[in-house]
Amino acid sequence: METMYYIVDRIDGDYAYLRRTDKESEDLKVVARALLPVEITEGSRLKYELFQYEIIA
């Protein structure tokens, strides 16, 4: 399983828009906030691995 890294570009209601940082892509991934750690804010850095998102420093 591949590990992916994202930054929270923006939060809009129940959804967060994530920009991938480990691979060039102009597309934003829309993810329901219920699937993300509660303490995310715009600019948070995330790691996605084994179907889970985790905040990283």
Side-chain angles (χ1 to χ4, degrees):
M1 174 134 279
E2 183 180 6
T3 301
M4 295 174 254
Y5 295 91
Y6 296 94
I7 190 164
V8 179
D9 192 64
R10 67 183 160 110
I11 296 174
D12 187 12
D14 291 334
Y15 296 93
Y17 293 80
L18 308 181
R19 183 170 24 97
R20 193 152 176 194
T21 59
D22 62 322
K23 186 186 256 188
E24 286 275 333
S25 176
E26 292 186 19
D27 296 329
L28 295 177
K29 181 176 183 176
V30 181
V31 178
R33 289 187 64 192
L35 300 174
L36 300 170
V38 176
E39 55 275 345
I40 67 159
T41 60
E42 291 181 358
S44 293
R45 300 176 75 73
L46 303 171
K47 176 174 82 169
Y48 178 74
E49 186 174 50
L50 299 174
F51 304 106
Q52 291 185 343
Y53 291 92
E54 174 186 342
I55 293 178
I56 57 173

